[in-house]
């Protein structure tokens, strides 16, 4: 990067000054000055004058020089120092000097080097590279108030609360593990295997991954650490052999480059880099791939299909310019830039800008001996040379407040002292290189768009918005691996099976054996297992005492406790069970039904009244009379068949009304309104007549209930005893969901007990009804012909096989069960074990409910509205005629008296008069009116 161009991006601060020299062999004047400073006797203005900007400010850099990160970081730091010193707008009059030390991948050497640094005039230290060293030396930094800025220590447990003088200038592994967890969730995997370096970096990183997976209901099923330092190939092979025996095929590798490449090399030798496996490497691999260009072919061959995370650095002109400059510095050699090099470069600029602000805020580079160190007597470690940086807190604050745009993009800290907008590239190793398939950011999750393009938009981490480009997986396949297999560790799947004593057609233990079972449920389970593309060794474990049916809730609890790996049988899928285990797709429909005894009732002399309720009979009779009256009103003035003496008119109304029931009415309707009403009424009569006929036929032919309980509602309101199957969830449902008292419930253990209890009845110590699941009742009714299902099934559910939460085997078995259903095998298994006899050929539910008014009120409403409208139109016509007639009479006769009385009399007269007589009367009145007018004119 051009230093002049760089200088334009930052502002200069403060004035030029000189550095105050320091001597560890302090003379009298120096001791006097220190004592004044310690006691606060010098004024602030005096201190600023004495400690203006120094000519040189020293910083340290501690990392492993001979490492992938160290080789790149050394050049990046040196170039950053050159750019800072060449830029007159930053630290004017002051040069930055960097003293580098090599920790040589040793925690002990790193600690010694830091202590040596602290004996000199260092105001800040870049590093350490190792998280393990950072944990130890951060205590020294806290004590001596010297900020430490690490561009490579990614351990998420390096907390700013515990180590306030530790500043991470790179991304924490907390975010990297969030990215890994989100990728695992994106591809639909449930478990991963973790291989990590067994030090602070590896352990704490995998611990963060475990937490992030748990937030998404995922987990690490197996994790194994690699000893730091040189590890033999045999040790790696032992580790990977154990991994192959595990269930998960998604392997996360969080190590250093040396151990990581050895893992992949052995994995290829063991055939673990082929189909079915998923390998996710953290950013240690990305730093090697970026730095070594091109990567040796022998290394690339073992990495095909690996998914890698790399710290994201935003693309910019400065970044491209520095990359070009890097190629000139290295002569186009094999050492290329990686993300840690960019962060190392920006770390130097962060220190320079913070120092500039520090000096502008009257910061002083001065040190004071630590009294606690002085109290250590007889030590030959020269600890008295370590001293406290007095204005270290001010410089620390300046660093945390500094904001600028560097090679990595916007550089700024949040309240947790983490860099804003953590992001990673998701890359896929392919061929001789790699390709980027997307990004992950803490702001928007997985995306194919660069994070900096999404920051101006509202955050969106919904499942639908998560996206990555296609991936080439190990084995050169584009099909997403399933991510798991049945573990090849020699252990069989422990499958709990209820040891039933009744309804043994569903599941039962083979007599004379300990762990062999048969039945409908067992056959379905074995058929589904045979459809899986991998072998699943199983071991049936009986559950129950063999004397009575066991509690299925207790069986489910054993899975949750880890005692069993699965449960197979007639297990109902209910809410409280789904909270602790996962079920497969239901393989049999199941719901609670009510079974009661029945007998064929005697029809009796009054059986013809039973189809309708008394309310229905009453409303129907009223409507017959009402329709007859309406038709009479509409036809009386114009139809001779609806005229005559009052007694005959009443007879006509009654006859016409009830004759419409058989469509046998002989009177014709003449008026348009009357015909409209009659058409609608005849339609209503047709529906009522058909319904009555059908209901009466059913009453006279269908067997009727002898139990007063007609369904679920009568169970809740009555007090009759109710039988249920021992071990079934029906007891919980009846008491908890329906609120039925436990004193009414009687446990029964077999179909014979059902029949005996129903036969005895509630008066003799038996029960009125049985409440149980539909499959049991269908089997019971196939041999018991005197009982029937009452009402409808009042719960909907099914039977399924139970597995631990998030078990992938449950998903695969669900697919297999669907295949059994589609190809007809499930029905064939059902017919084999549960084929019904002729006794149960009539399986229709018995429902003796009569026809109620609520089933017909719509018809009556339509008919009533039609009658109302017809009468309204008719009334308006009559009122207009009456009004016109009364006015003419007043004009002709000039009579006096109440007009309302005359109109009422005329209204009743018009209603009763025949229409042709009324017309003659109108013509006569009109002629008389003309004559009177003519006589008046003559006079």
């Amino acid at each position: 990067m051009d230093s002049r161009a760089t200088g334009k991006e930052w502002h200069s601060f403060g004035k030029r000054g000189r550095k105050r020299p320091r001597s560890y062999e302090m003379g009298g004047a120096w001791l006097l000055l220190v004592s004044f400073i310690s006691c606060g006797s010098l004024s602030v203005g005096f201190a600023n004058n004495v400690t203006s900007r120094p000519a040189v400010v020293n910083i340290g850099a501690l990392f492993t020089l001979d490492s992938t990160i160290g080789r790149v970081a050394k050049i990046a730091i040196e170039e950053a120092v050159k750019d800072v010193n060449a830029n007159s707008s930053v630290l004017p009059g002051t040069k930055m000097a960097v003293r580098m030390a090599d920790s040589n991948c040793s925690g002990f050497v790193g600690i010694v080097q830091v202590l040596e640094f602290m004996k000199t005039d260092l105001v800040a230290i870049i590093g350490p590279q190792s998280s393990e060293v950072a944990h130890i030396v951060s205590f020294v930094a806290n004590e001596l108030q010297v900020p430490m800025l690490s561009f490579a220590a990614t351990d998420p447990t390096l907390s700013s609360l515990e180590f306030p003088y530790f500043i991470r200038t790179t991304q924490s592994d907390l975010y990297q593990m969030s990215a890994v967890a989100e990728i695992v969730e994106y591809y639909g995997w449930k478990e991963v295997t973790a291989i990590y370096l067994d030090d602070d970096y590896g352990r704490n990183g995998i611990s963060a991954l475990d937490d992030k997976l748990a937030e998404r209901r995922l987990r690490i099923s197996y994790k194994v650490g690699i000893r730091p330092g040189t590890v033999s190939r045999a040790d790696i092979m032992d580790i990977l052999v154990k991994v192959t025996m595990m269930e998960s095929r998604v392997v996360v590798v969080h190590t250093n480059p040396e151990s990581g490449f050895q893992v992949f090399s052995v994995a290829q030798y063991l055939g673990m880099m082929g189909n079915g496996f998923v390998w996710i490497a953290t950013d240690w691999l990305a730093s090697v791939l970026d730095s070594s260009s091109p990567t040796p072919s022998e290394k690339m061959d073992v990495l095909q299909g690996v998914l890698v995370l790399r710290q994201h650095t935003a693309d910019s002109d400065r970044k491209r310019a520095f990359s070009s400059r890097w190629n000139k510095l290295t002569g186009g050699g094999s050492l290329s830039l990686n993300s840690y090099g960019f962060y190392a470069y920006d770390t130097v600029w962060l220190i320079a800008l913070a120092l500039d602000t520090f000096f502008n805020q009257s910061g002083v580079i001065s040190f004071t001996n630590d009294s606690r160190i002085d109290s250590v007597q007889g030590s030959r470690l020269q600890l008295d040379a370590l001293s406290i940086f007095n204005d270290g807190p001010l410089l620390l604050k300046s660093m945390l407040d500094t904001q600028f745009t560097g090679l990595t993009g916007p550089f700024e800290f949040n309240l947790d002292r983490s860099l804003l907008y953590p992001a990673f590239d998701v890359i896929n190793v392919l061929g001789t290189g790699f390709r980027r398939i997307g990004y992950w950011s803490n702001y928007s999750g997985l995306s194919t768009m660069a994070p900096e393009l999404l920051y101006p938009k509202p955050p969106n981490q919904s499942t639908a918005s998560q996206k990555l480009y296609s991936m080439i997986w190990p084995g050169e396949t584009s099909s997403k691996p399933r991510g798991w297999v049945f573990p090849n560790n020699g252990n069989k799947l422990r499958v709990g099976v209820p040891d039933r004593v009744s309804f043994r057609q569903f599941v039962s233990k083979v007599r004379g054996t300990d762990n062999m079972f048969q039945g409908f449920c067992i056959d379905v389970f074995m058929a589904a297992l045979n459809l899986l593309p991998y072998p699943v060794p199983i071991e049936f474990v009986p559950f129950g005492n063999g004397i009575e049916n066991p509690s299925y809730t207790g069986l489910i609890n054993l899975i949750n406790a880890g005692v069993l790996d699965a449960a197979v049988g007639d297990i109902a899928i209910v809410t409280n069970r789904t909270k602790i285990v996962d079920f497969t797709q239901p393989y049999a429909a199941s719901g609670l039904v009510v079974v009661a005894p029945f007998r064929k009732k005697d029809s009796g002399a009054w059986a013809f009244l039973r189809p309708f309720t008394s309310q229905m009979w009453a409303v129907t009779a009223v409507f017959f009379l009402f329709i007859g009256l309406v038709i009479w009103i509409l036809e009386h003035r114009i139809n001779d068949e609806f005229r005559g003496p009052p007694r005959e008119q009443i007879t006509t109304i009654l006859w016409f009304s009830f004759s419409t029931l058989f469509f046998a009415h002989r009177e014709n309707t003449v008026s348009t309104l009357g015909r409209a009403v009659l058409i609608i009424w005849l339609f209503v009569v047709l529906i009522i007549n058909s319904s009555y006929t059908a209901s009466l036929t059913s009453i006279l032919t269908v067997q009727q209930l002898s139990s007063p309980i007609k369904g679920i509602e009568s169970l809740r309101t009555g007090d009759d005893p109710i039988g249920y199957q021992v071990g079934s969830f029906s007891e919980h449902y009846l008491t908890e969901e329906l609120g039925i008292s436990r004193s009414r419930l009687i446990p029964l253990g077999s179909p014979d007990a059902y029949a005996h209890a129903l036969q005895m009845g509630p008066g003799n110590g038996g029960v009125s009804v049985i409440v149980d699941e539909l499959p049991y009742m269908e089997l019971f009714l196939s041999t018991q012909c005197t009982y029937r299902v009452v009402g409808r099934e009042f719960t909907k559910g099914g039977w399924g096989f139970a597995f631990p939460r998030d078990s992938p085997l449950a998903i695969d078995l669900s697919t297999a069960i669907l295949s059994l259903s589609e190809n007809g095998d499930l029905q064939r298994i059902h017919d084999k074990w549960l084929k019904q006899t002729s006794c149960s050929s009539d399986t229709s539910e018995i429902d003796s409910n009569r026809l109620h008014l609520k089933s017909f009120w719509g018809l009556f409403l339509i008919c009533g509205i039609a009658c109302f409208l017809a009468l309204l139109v008719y009334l308006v016509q009559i009122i207009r005629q009456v009004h016109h007639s009364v006015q003419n009479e007043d004009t002709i006769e000039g009579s006096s008296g109440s007009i309302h009385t005359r109109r009422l009399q005329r209204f009743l007269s018009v209603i009763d008069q025949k229409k042709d007589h009324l017309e003659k009367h109108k013509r006569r009145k009109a002629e008389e009116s003309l004559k009177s007018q003519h006589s008046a004119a003559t006079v």
Side-chain angles (χ1 to χ4, degrees):
M1 177 181 294
D2 183 69
S3 60
R4 295 184 183 273
T6 305
K8 294 179 181 179
E9 298 300 326
W10 292 292
H11 301 285
S12 62
F13 299 92
K15 301 178 181 180
R16 307 181 70 176
R18 56 186 175 84
K19 177 182 177 183
R20 180 173 56 82
R22 171 185 176 191
S23 172
Y24 292 106
E25 303 293 337
M26 288 185 289
W30 175 246
L31 290 174
L32 180 62
L33 179 60
V34 171
S35 63
F36 275 121
I37 295 174
S38 300
C39 296
S41 59
L42 294 180
S43 65
V44 175
F46 177 75
N48 289 341
N49 291 333
V50 171
T51 58
S52 58
R53 288 177 179 256
V56 178
V57 61
N58 294 318
I59 61 175
L62 176 66
F63 48 89
T64 303
L65 297 178
D66 188 21
S67 66
T68 301
I69 296 175
R71 287 188 291 269
V72 173
K74 179 178 182 298
I75 300 175
I77 291 173
E78 290 173 346
E79 292 304 305
V81 172
K82 291 179 183 178
D83 292 342
V84 169
N85 291 334
N87 194 317
S88 59
S89 62
V90 181
L91 292 176
T94 301
K95 297 296 182 182
M96 179 182 288
V98 177
R99 177 185 171 186
M100 295 188 181
D102 187 4
S103 63
N104 197 25
C105 292
S106 170
F108 175 74
V109 174
I111 296 170
V112 172
Q113 292 289 2
V114 168
L115 293 176
E116 288 295 325
F117 276 161
M118 296 302 184
K119 295 178 181 179
T120 59
D121 293 349
L122 298 183
V123 296
I125 296 177
I126 300 175
Q129 177 181 329
S130 167
S131 297
E132 187 174 12
V133 177
H135 272 281
I136 299 173
V137 301
S138 291
F139 288 105
V140 181
N142 288 351
E143 178 67 24
L144 303 182
Q145 300 182 171
V146 177
M148 299 184 64
L149 300 91
S150 177
F151 61 88
T154 57
D155 180 0
T157 63
L158 287 167
S159 168
S160 59
L161 297 177
E162 184 179 8
F163 308 117
Y165 282 86
F166 175 83
I167 301 176
R168 195 195 318 271
T169 57
T170 187
Q171 304 296 349
S172 168
D173 276 342
L174 179 67
Y175 300 111
Q176 181 170 209
M177 296 310 170
S178 294
V180 173
E182 200 151 334
I183 289 172
V184 172
E185 182 183 39
Y186 173 78
Y187 286 113
W189 302 313
K190 299 297 183 182
E191 298 179 350
V192 302
T193 297
I195 301 176
Y196 62 95
L197 195 65
D198 198 4
D199 60 4
D200 288 341
Y201 157 76
R203 284 192 302 271
N204 296 330
I206 293 302
S207 178
L209 174 61
D210 205 359
D211 293 340
K212 293 301 179 181
L213 289 172
E215 291 176 2
R216 296 164 172 81
R217 286 186 59 189
L218 313 175
R219 69 187 186 100
I220 299 176
S221 59
Y222 179 69
K223 56 185 176 181
V224 56
I226 299 177
R227 178 174 53 84
T230 304
V231 183
S232 67
R233 186 178 178 86
D235 292 338
I236 298 296
M237 188 168 295
D238 290 341
I239 290 174
L240 292 184
V241 168
K242 293 179 181 178
V243 171
T244 60
M245 298 171 64
M246 297 298 111
E247 179 178 293
S248 174
R249 285 294 183 262
V250 181
V251 186
V252 178
V253 183
H254 185 56
T255 63
N256 56 24
E258 180 182 359
S259 300
F261 276 110
Q262 201 165 10
V263 166
F264 284 114
S265 176
V266 175
Q268 186 188 42
Y269 174 78
L270 294 176
M272 299 173 65
M273 299 302 297
N275 288 338
F277 277 90
V278 177
W279 292 89
I280 302 175
T282 52
D283 61 352
W284 66 266
L285 181 54
S287 64
V288 176
L289 295 177
D290 288 336
S291 301
S292 55
S293 179
T295 305
S297 60
E298 60 272 13
K299 288 187 176 180
M300 295 301 297
D301 290 342
V302 303
L303 297 174
Q304 296 300 302
V306 176
L307 189 150
V308 188
L309 289 176
R310 175 178 61 190
Q311 296 185 71
H312 175 72
T313 55
D315 193 20
S316 64
D317 293 337
R318 280 196 298 269
K319 179 181 175 182
R320 287 190 291 269
F322 187 77
S323 298
S324 299
R325 176 180 165 190
W326 183 275
N327 293 332
K328 295 177 182 179
L329 290 171
T330 59
S334 60
L335 185 62
S336 300
L337 264 172
N338 56 35
S339 58
Y340 289 103
F342 291 121
Y343 281 109
Y345 182 91
D346 285 349
T347 301
V348 175
W349 273 100
L350 171 64
I351 296 173
L353 293 173
L355 282 171
D356 210 3
T357 304
F358 171 77
F359 291 133
N360 283 336
Q361 295 176 348
S362 303
V364 177
I365 298 180
S366 63
F367 297 83
T368 303
N369 288 342
D370 193 337
S371 60
R372 283 177 290 184
I373 294 178
D374 292 340
S375 64
V376 180
Q377 300 294 331
S379 174
R380 297 183 180 182
L381 298 177
Q382 298 181 353
L383 296 179
D384 57 338
L386 303 179
S387 54
I388 298 173
F389 180 19
N390 295 321
D391 276 349
L394 180 60
L395 179 58
L396 175 67
K397 183 178 182 303
S398 298
M399 290 178 175
L400 296 175
D401 292 341
T402 299
Q403 301 177 19
F404 66 98
T405 301
L407 297 182
T408 58
F411 209 98
E412 181 182 353
F413 295 99
N414 59 21
L415 296 177
D416 295 331
R417 298 188 179 184
S418 299
L419 291 178
L420 287 180
Y421 301 128
F424 288 84
D425 298 338
V426 184
I427 61 179
N428 180 202
V429 179
L430 187 63
T432 59
F434 53 85
R435 69 185 185 98
R436 183 169 52 209
I437 63 172
Y439 306 87
W440 177 89
S441 71
N442 196 42
Y443 185 79
S444 56
L446 297 173
S447 173
T448 54
M449 295 179 62
E452 53 270 16
L453 300 178
L454 299 174
Y455 294 148
K457 302 178 182 179
N460 183 9
Q461 294 198 27
S462 63
T463 304
S465 67
Q466 306 301 291
K467 184 179 180 182
L468 293 174
Y469 289 122
S470 61
M471 172 90 178
I472 302 299
W473 304 99
E476 298 183 358
T477 176
S478 59
S479 299
K480 185 198 74 172
R482 186 173 65 245
W484 77 281
V485 295
F486 193 81
N488 186 24
N489 54 11
N491 296 329
K492 295 182 178 181
L493 192 74
R494 293 177 55 83
V495 181
V497 184
D499 188 5
R500 295 192 58 88
V501 297
S502 63
F503 296 108
R504 296 174 60 85
Q505 295 90 334
F506 294 104
V507 58
S508 63
K509 187 164 65 172
V510 178
R511 301 187 186 279
T513 65
D514 292 331
N515 57 358
M516 293 182 63
F517 288 83
Q518 62 183 2
F520 168 70
C521 303
I522 300 299
D523 281 6
V524 172
F525 178 70
M526 298 305 298
L529 280 185
N530 293 333
L531 292 180
L532 297 181
Y534 47 87
V536 180
I538 61 172
E539 176 187 2
F540 287 134
V541 179
F543 177 75
N545 55 19
I547 300 176
E548 61 179 6
N549 293 332
S551 169
Y552 284 29
T553 301
L555 177 61
I556 296 300
N557 289 334
L558 290 181
I559 299 177
N560 188 43
V563 177
L564 297 174
D565 301 316
V568 171
D570 46 342
I571 305 172
I573 304 174
V574 293
T575 303
N576 61 330
R577 295 174 183 172
T578 58
K579 294 178 180 179
I580 57 176
V581 297
D582 281 350
F583 283 92
T584 62
Q585 170 80 15
Y587 63 88
S590 173
L592 292 180
V593 294
V594 179
V595 170
F598 76 96
R599 62 180 174 84
K600 191 171 182 177
K601 288 185 177 181
D602 184 12
S603 298
W606 302 100
F608 69 91
L609 294 177
R610 294 216 308 262
F612 289 163
T613 62
S614 58
Q615 187 182 29
M616 181 66 183
W617 279 117
V619 172
T620 303
V622 169
F623 254 84
F624 270 106
L625 296 176
F626 176 68
I627 293 299
L629 180 62
V630 171
I631 296 298
W632 179 84
I633 293 174
L634 297 177
E635 297 288 329
H636 179 68
R637 296 177 60 245
I638 60 176
N639 192 339
D640 290 335
E641 293 183 354
F642 289 88
R643 298 187 63 82
R647 180 177 297 178
E648 292 182 5
Q649 294 303 298
I650 293 174
T651 303
T652 299
I653 292 173
L654 296 176
W655 164 255
F656 182 84
S657 299
F658 291 101
S659 63
T660 56
L661 176 63
F662 310 101
F663 305 98
H665 51 284
R666 63 189 180 187
E667 292 81 6
N668 295 320
T669 52
V670 179
S671 66
T672 302
L673 294 176
R675 289 175 177 177
V677 170
L678 184 61
I679 289 173
I680 296 175
W681 172 244
L682 290 178
F683 175 74
V684 174
V685 169
L686 176 64
I687 301 299
I688 294 176
N689 197 358
S690 301
S691 302
Y692 175 85
T693 303
S695 180
L696 181 61
T697 302
S698 176
I699 289 174
L700 296 177
T701 58
V702 175
Q703 297 159 328
Q704 300 298 305
L705 290 173
S706 61
S707 171
I709 296 180
K710 305 299 187 294
I712 185 62
E713 290 302 324
S714 20
L715 277 181
R716 304 177 68 172
T717 57
D719 56 359
D720 292 335
I722 302 169
Y724 71 93
Q725 183 181 175
V726 176
S728 172
F729 81 97
S730 56
E731 178 188 11
H732 174 82
Y733 186 87
L734 292 172
T735 56
E736 301 298 329
E737 301 296 333
L738 300 184
I740 296 176
S741 173
R742 290 184 182 273
S743 60
R744 295 178 55 193
L745 303 183
I746 298 178
L748 303 172
S750 66
D752 293 339
Y754 285 3
H756 181 68
L758 288 172
Q759 186 177 8
M760 291 178 62
N764 299 317
V767 297
S768 296
V769 294
I770 301 292
V771 176
D772 206 347
E773 296 177 67
L774 182 60
Y776 302 124
M777 292 295 92
E778 288 179 342
L779 194 61
F780 171 71
L781 296 177
S782 67
T783 57
Q784 299 291 333
C785 301
T786 57
Y787 310 102
R788 282 291 183 271
V789 173
V790 178
R792 297 182 179 181
E793 186 177 357
F794 56 90
T795 64
K796 295 294 182 181
W799 289 350
F801 306 131
F803 291 88
R805 295 298 295 270
D806 302 320
S807 171
L809 189 58
I811 299 175
D812 286 358
L813 273 179
S814 294
T815 304
I817 290 172
L818 289 175
S819 299
L820 290 175
S821 177
E822 292 170 357
N823 61 26
D825 287 345
L826 190 61
Q827 184 61 44
R828 282 188 284 272
I829 296 173
H830 177 276
D831 294 340
K832 171 186 174 182
W833 290 96
L834 308 175
K835 189 174 181 179
Q836 299 175 356
T837 64
S838 58
C839 177
S840 61
S841 58
D842 181 15
T843 58
S844 59
E845 298 171 354
I846 297 177
D847 189 354
S848 62
N849 290 337
R850 304 159 76 186
L851 297 177
H852 295 268
L853 177 62
K854 63 182 180 181
S855 302
F856 301 92
W857 72 268
L859 290 172
F860 288 127
L861 178 63
I862 294 173
C863 188
I865 292 175
C867 293
F868 173 77
L869 293 177
L871 291 176
L872 181 63
V873 173
Y874 178 79
L875 183 61
V876 170
Q877 293 175 351
I878 296 298
I879 290 175
R880 291 180 62 185
Q881 292 181 9
V882 170
H883 178 72
H884 181 71
S885 176
V886 171
Q887 285 184 339
N888 290 339
E889 288 181 359
D890 291 343
T891 302
I892 296 173
E893 300 176 1
S895 60
S896 60
S898 173
I899 187 172
H900 297 292
T901 303
R902 292 198 306 274
R903 287 183 177 179
L904 178 60
Q905 293 173 351
R906 188 60 184 163
F907 176 79
L908 296 175
S909 175
V910 168
I911 289 178
D912 188 58
Q913 287 179 350
K914 193 173 181 180
K915 189 172 182 180
D916 55 353
H917 176 74
L918 184 61
E919 294 296 333
K920 292 179 181 179
H921 179 72
K922 288 182 179 179
R923 287 195 298 271
R924 182 177 62 80
K925 290 295 183 181
E927 291 174 357
E928 291 177 355
S929 176
L930 291 174
K931 289 180 180 180
S932 63
Q933 292 177 1
H934 178 72
S935 300
T938 303
V939 174

